[in-house]
Amino acid sequence: MIPKFLKKRIFKAPVATDHTASTPEFEAEMLPVASTLYANAPINQLYRKLSGQLLDVAVKPKLLGELPEFDDDDNILRFYVLQDYSRSNSILIDLQTQEHNLPPALVGVQDITHDVKENAAIIFLHHPHAKDSQLSPRLSRLVAAVLQHPELQVRLVPVSILWGRAPEKEDSLFKLLTADNWEDPSITKQLFNIGVMGRDTFVQFHPPQDLRTLIHDSLQGDGEGFAVFDSVASETHTVQNTAQADNVDTANDANKVNNADLLKEIAPSFAMVASADGNRELVRSLQQQLNIYLDKQRASMLGPDLSDRRNLVDKLVYSPAIKHAIEAEAAASGTSVREARMLAKGYANEMVNDYSHSIVRGFYKFLTWLWTQLYDGVEVHHFERVRELAADYELIYVPCHRSHVDYLLLSYVIYMRGLSIPYVAAGDNLDVPVLGPLLRGAVAFYIRRSFRGNALYTAVLREYMHTLITRNTPIEYFIEGGRSRSGRLLPPKMGMLAMTVHSQLRRTNKPVVFIPTYIGYERIMEGGTYVGELKGKPKESESLIGLLKVGRKIERIFGNVHLSFGTPLHLSDFMQKFDVPANSLPADRTDTPLDDKTSAMVDNIGVKVMQHINKAAVITPVSLLSLVLLSAPKAALDEDICREQIALYQGLAQHLPYSDDTIITDMTPQQIIDYGIKLKLIERIPHILGDIIQVAGKQAALLSYFRNNILHVFILLSFLSALVARNGRIERSRLNSIAEQLYPFLQSELFLYYSAHGLQETLNKKVDSLLASGLIVELGDGMLSVPETNSKCYQQLQVLATPVEQSLERYFMTLALLAQQGSGNLTENEVVDLCHLLGQRLSVLYADDIPDFFDRALFTSFIGALIRLDYLQKDEETGILIFDQRIDNIAHHAKYVLSPDMMQILQQVASLNEEEIAHAITEISNKKQRKFGRKRS
């Protein structure tokens, strides 16, 4: 290392001329490498090379986010903006710019035309030798140059450098000893960063900002900019043509500035003054904006400062809101306040996270290894929209729930891409020995699966959620409440959503935004378990033994996994839509109920979240294969036909995308088939007349899971195809009428986002797409027909028409049961239970024993839709369902889609006498009691 006294002599700045002035500020910002003024000095090149090589050995930075995109214009000047001055930061950024082919950081920037001569492309906001109330000298000079020269273009690239990513502890001695400040970082501090944190260093380049635009926005953003320029306007004609403690004379042409042009360029109401003295307030404002921006980015990457878990529990218990809840509990239960407080403290200890950065780092390394063992790749889509919001919003991740892997996978992806990992609301069933404490130390806070009626527990959970939100901690919860066993989205549970809304209405620091997240697998660890549970096997409790059983599957092939971040949903937009005022709940209470408008808003948010998750779906090779083969007779197709059907589905999805957020695999049909064979989900049967592709043994039930992941994308196309295929010919108006009648039930089941008032236009587009593909034919006078029966298009139409049949069969069977038993005889739960039993029987006797057909959640969704649409009315006291002849009208439409044989079968299955009904209800009730007894024990 070159001694400081020798370095000053070797890299002494040139003598000031008309365009340069040797000043303390100039020497302070003049780095000893890569200046345009002496870039060719051999000793300078040697210093830069040696310093870079030494740092490169000790520091292995990881790049976060995307690289900045620059305009391809050599006349644009580009500077990197860092908060804190240090030589190690300077060299690190220089190395990163070289590695990623960005404009170099430690090479001078010279534009003689605009009097810009800077010996490095780095701006330090906290510069140790900054004068003029801590203003950055280089930023001051650039602002003056931009104001003086309307044609000058300068881009600022804010850069975040993290020497370690551990969130800081509140009031910790370590934080005090290592905190950055305005002092020139000592050699000790820099050596500590390099030696201790060098292998845990992260760099993120933020999007370039146009300096002229920043100036304009600063002036128009508040009134200060206007006053500043009014106060210094008189100085325009008296600016001295001298160096102002700069290495560039930024004012020597001030009298030649055309103020009228500048006024038009930046702020039409004010005279622009190219004077460093006159622009102090503007520079201070810009510097403050850049500091705030980088502080927010840092917070989004690290998360908030941590409070000791014990202190956090105490703060919860002694908060005004929980004090009130404790007093209410004591009064209601007849216990002392002290006993109620101890109970509340116990609840808090059950749930509160115990974040440990060492555990997070351990998980990160372990999961990096694990994903390479399990998956061919982890594909992430639309993450940039999350990064854009992270600094200014409270992020609430609301993913679908497919596997226990979801917890770790989503947190891993977020952490790997440079954002603070969210705290995950996990069921207390995961709080098992060994695994439970590890998850609590990383991402999890545990909540009970059910706590209805426990007012004190609810109050503690609400207050903990409010604490996390007010501390700007990202949160993640699974809105479905549990893992989907069928691959479809489950109806949303509104509890956590309501708590989030409740917290926002009690006043929080940042506006809340929900991030719907789609998670899609190509094979799933719990697949066999899910099939068993759908067939009636009891759910296995989580345990260490269960974890070890899963570990045995690590050597298997699980293909790719996809995470797709949907369009964010801003809570403020819903509040405006439902006219819910901000800060409308008392800040010191958790038990204030939500009014009807707010409750309706929560319900709407839940549905919109599910719809946006589906909009972000990824059509994977496995899901496409599943959709095609499970729609074919005996789940097998000639390989040529299979390729054509896959190509058809890809073409339909691309020609009329379900949503702009939907991702479609770019594999060719042949590659998709080969990929399915590689995953051992399908198999090729050689045959002299042409190979056959069929579902591999015992994989049909599992493939139905992946088919259901994307069923919503094709369901309307399938429904319209079925209406044409089953009737041969049908009027377009009749087709639309039937579709509009049954659409609400499909929408409820699959969370379709098409609105009812715009459905006609959507249906017309779908029909036009089928016409363009040749799957249906228009005969004239609004009549639609199937193509010729022996044609390829006819066969493809039959396959496309199949997926909707299961849904319509469930609807018709439920309606047949209701009609057969009559109004006022069954409760909602009894109908769901009976339909579940009938579905099981039908699947075994007449179908392919695919268990998702009789998924209880699907019958619950259908009954719920009938109640919501007022086809069914539920007695408030008894729960008995009441209905009229309109039920038969809905069932009447089934004949347009289902074959007569299937309708007869469904009617037979649904025909139960009173004795059979009573016996079935008794057995179901006994089974539920036994299950509840096992849970309690």
Side-chain angles (χ1 to χ4, degrees), residues 79-252:
F79 292 84
Y80 302 96
V81 180
L82 281 72
Q83 280 188 298
D84 303 307
Y85 172 83
S86 77
R87 291 174 178 81
S88 53
N89 283 350
S90 305
I91 298 171
L92 178 61
I93 293 301
D94 188 51
L95 290 173
Q96 289 292 291
T97 56
Q98 293 179 56
E99 180 180 345
H100 300 294
N101 297 318
L102 298 174
L106 291 184
V107 170
V109 179
Q110 182 170 333
D111 185 345
I112 298 176
T113 304
H114 301 109
D115 291 321
V116 176
K117 298 186 184 71
E118 300 294 340
N119 49 23
I122 300 179
I123 297 172
F124 294 106
L125 299 179
H126 297 172
H127 199 286
H129 294 284
K131 292 186 176 182
D132 197 10
S133 301
Q134 312 291 2
L135 296 184
S136 167
R138 182 162 288 146
L139 181 60
S140 300
R141 294 193 292 270
L142 290 174
V143 168
V146 168
L147 293 176
Q148 183 177 359
H149 301 284
E151 72 281 2
L152 176 60
Q153 299 185 69
V154 177
R155 300 286 187 271
L156 304 183
V157 182
V159 183
S160 296
I161 300 178
L162 299 179
W163 298 89
R165 285 184 66 185
E168 295 168 327
K169 295 283 186 179
E170 291 180 340
D171 305 323
S172 68
L173 178 62
F174 181 81
K175 177 179 178 181
L176 294 176
L177 291 175
T178 61
D180 293 324
N181 51 50
W182 286 91
E183 299 296 327
D184 188 352
S186 65
I187 295 296
T188 303
K189 171 71 180 298
Q190 295 184 57
L191 290 177
F192 175 84
N193 284 341
I194 294 171
V196 177
M197 303 292 188
R199 301 285 170 164
D200 194 25
T201 301
F202 301 85
V203 177
Q204 181 173 358
F205 294 89
H206 302 291
Q209 307 289 327
D210 178 59
L211 180 55
R212 189 175 300 278
T213 302
L214 291 177
I215 293 172
H216 178 269
D217 292 344
S218 180
L219 296 180
Q220 298 215 338
D222 55 40
E224 294 182 5
F226 297 85
V228 168
F229 281 92
D230 282 340
S231 66
V232 298
S234 61
E235 300 179 22
T236 307
H237 303 290
T238 59
V239 175
Q240 298 181 357
N241 189 17
T242 57
Q244 302 288 332
D246 293 309
N247 69 335
V248 178
D249 182 0
T250 59
N252 62 349

Side-chain angles (χ1 to χ4, degrees), residues 736-760:
N736 287 339
S737 175
I738 296 172
E740 289 177 349
Q741 183 83 18
L742 296 180
Y743 172 74
F745 307 112
L746 292 172
Q747 182 184 36
S748 178
E749 176 183 334
L750 295 171
F751 296 100
L752 305 178
Y753 75 92
Y754 308 115
S755 61
H757 66 267
L759 182 61
Q760 190 70 48

Side-chain angles (χ1 to χ4, degrees), residues 265-538:
E265 185 73 24
I266 303 180
S269 302
F270 308 98
M272 298 290 105
V273 182
S275 165
D277 290 335
N279 295 329
R280 277 195 298 270
E281 293 304 320
L282 174 60
V283 174
R284 181 176 289 107
S285 174
L286 292 174
Q287 185 165 313
Q288 183 181 23
Q289 290 178 41
L290 290 167
N291 263 314
I292 291 173
Y293 177 83
L294 287 170
D295 282 340
K296 286 182 176 180
Q297 298 301 324
R298 179 182 179 86
S300 72
M301 291 186 276
L302 295 181
D305 287 356
L306 297 179
S307 177
D308 179 79
R309 184 172 187 269
R310 184 176 62 181
N311 291 335
L312 181 55
V313 169
D314 289 340
K315 289 179 182 178
L316 279 176
V317 173
Y318 288 97
S319 66
I322 299 303
K323 280 184 178 180
H324 180 274
I326 289 172
E327 292 170 358
E329 175 70 18
S333 62
T335 60
S336 67
V337 171
R338 182 177 181 277
E339 290 173 327
R341 183 179 296 111
M342 293 302 296
L343 183 60
K345 190 170 185 178
Y347 291 155
N349 276 310
E350 279 184 29
M351 63 183 69
V352 171
N353 176 281
D354 189 18
Y355 185 94
S356 167
H357 185 64
S358 59
I359 292 179
V360 171
R361 288 287 300 162
F363 263 117
Y364 177 75
K365 293 180 180 179
F366 169 71
L367 293 176
T368 300
W369 168 82
L370 181 63
W371 303 148
T372 60
Q373 301 299 310
L374 288 177
Y375 305 114
D376 293 334
V378 178
E379 303 291 335
V380 181
H381 311 278
H382 309 309
F383 188 77
E384 66 282 354
R385 57 181 40 152
V386 182
R387 192 186 306 282
E388 291 171 0
L389 296 170
D392 298 310
Y393 290 87
E394 167 64 22
L395 299 182
I396 307 293
Y397 297 91
V398 276
C400 59
H401 201 6
R402 301 279 161 82
S403 167
H404 278 319
V405 176
D406 299 343
Y407 297 97
L408 302 175
L409 184 64
L410 181 55
S411 296
Y412 175 85
V413 166
I414 293 169
Y415 183 83
M416 187 177 69
R417 278 161 175 74
L419 295 184
S420 174
I421 59 174
Y423 283 19
V424 183
D428 61 354
N429 57 315
L430 287 178
D431 193 9
V432 296
V434 182
L435 178 63
L438 287 176
L439 289 177
R440 188 191 295 273
V443 297
F445 66 94
Y446 292 111
I447 60 176
R448 296 181 179 181
R449 305 287 289 182
S450 177
F451 47 89
R452 185 184 299 273
N454 190 335
L456 185 58
Y457 185 92
T458 302
V460 173
L461 179 55
R462 281 183 175 176
E463 187 64 16
Y464 182 51
M465 283 283 290
H466 184 61
T467 300
L468 294 178
I469 291 173
T470 53
R471 290 165 60 88
N472 304 324
T473 305
I475 297 174
E476 171 193 336
Y477 47 76
F478 296 97
I479 192 173
E480 297 166 279
R483 292 167 293 158
S484 170
R485 269 62 174 176
S486 68
R488 293 176 174 86
L489 294 180
L490 300 176
K493 308 292 185 183
M494 302 303 180
M496 296 298 287
L497 269 180
M499 289 186 186
T500 304
V501 171
H502 198 280
S503 175
Q504 179 81 94
L505 297 181
R506 288 174 60 191
R507 300 177 185 84
T508 55
N509 296 329
K510 292 183 178 181
V512 166
V513 62
F514 298 99
I515 310 294
T517 307
Y518 175 91
I519 303 176
Y521 299 90
E522 293 178 338
R523 293 201 66 165
I524 197 165
M525 286 186 179
E526 301 99 326
T529 303
Y530 288 173
V531 172
E533 290 178 13
L534 284 173
K535 289 185 176 181
K537 291 183 180 179

Side-chain angles (χ1 to χ4, degrees), residues 621-648:
V622 170
S623 59
L624 264 182
L625 273 174
S626 303
L627 187 64
V628 169
L629 289 176
L630 293 180
S631 300
K634 297 187 178 180
L637 283 173
D638 176 89
E639 184 165 359
D640 290 339
I641 296 176
C642 185
R643 278 196 301 267
E644 292 171 353
Q645 196 75 23
I646 291 172
L648 171 68

Side-chain angles (χ1 to χ4, degrees), residues 65 180 215 245 344 398 486 498 514 589 594 631 643 650 660 680 688 693 714 790 889:
D180 293 324
I215 293 172
V398 276
S486 68
F514 298 99
R589 295 286 292 272
L594 301 178
S631 300
R643 278 196 301 267
Q650 284 180 301
D660 292 339
K680 300 179 181 179
I688 193 171
I693 302 298
F714 297 95
N790 293 326
N889 295 338

Side-chain angles (χ1 to χ4, degrees), residues 517-590:
T517 307
Y518 175 91
I519 303 176
Y521 299 90
E522 293 178 338
R523 293 201 66 165
I524 197 165
M525 286 186 179
E526 301 99 326
T529 303
Y530 288 173
V531 172
E533 290 178 13
L534 284 173
K535 289 185 176 181
K537 291 183 180 179
K539 179 180 178 296
E540 296 182 7
S541 300
E542 279 73 14
S543 65
L544 182 60
I545 294 176
L547 178 64
L548 295 175
K549 287 181 180 179
V550 172
R552 293 185 303 178
K553 301 179 181 180
I554 288 180
E555 296 301 324
R556 300 184 186 178
I557 302 172
F558 287 86
N560 289 292
V561 59
H562 297 264
L563 276 82
S564 182
F565 295 87
T567 301
L569 297 170
H570 294 263
L571 179 54
S572 58
D573 293 340
F574 289 92
M575 292 170 63
Q576 183 177 2
K577 175 182 176 182
F578 285 85
D579 193 25
V580 175
N583 304 327
S584 55
L585 296 181
D588 59 349
R589 295 286 292 272
T590 63

